[in-house]
Amino acid sequence: MSGGLADGASVISVAISVGFAGPSYFSTTFKRIMGIPPKQYSSTLVQPHSAEKPI
């Protein structure tokens, strides 16, 4: 899915795009299934570009 948490989208935009009425229930459901809140999940996926090694 393009535009998800892994792509840096906000929790609100992801919640609405997958059919939740708002971010609160989405966050609760996400945490129940994934074991961590959506913001924590997205922060574990974001890595700074400066850390990449040049080719």
Side-chain angles (χ1 to χ4, degrees):
M1 173 175 91
S2 179
L5 290 172
D7 297 327
S10 72
V11 173
I12 293 171
S13 64
V14 173
I16 292 170
S17 72
V18 297
F20 285 84
S24 180
Y25 185 61
F26 172 77
S27 293
T28 301
T29 304
F30 187 96
K31 184 176 180 182
R32 183 171 44 90
I33 293 169
M34 299 299 291
I36 59 174
K39 286 189 178 189
Q40 184 179 353
Y41 175 82
S42 65
S43 70
T44 62
L45 300 175
V46 176
Q47 297 179 9
H49 293 289
S50 60
E52 294 177 7
K53 294 181 181 178
I55 296 176

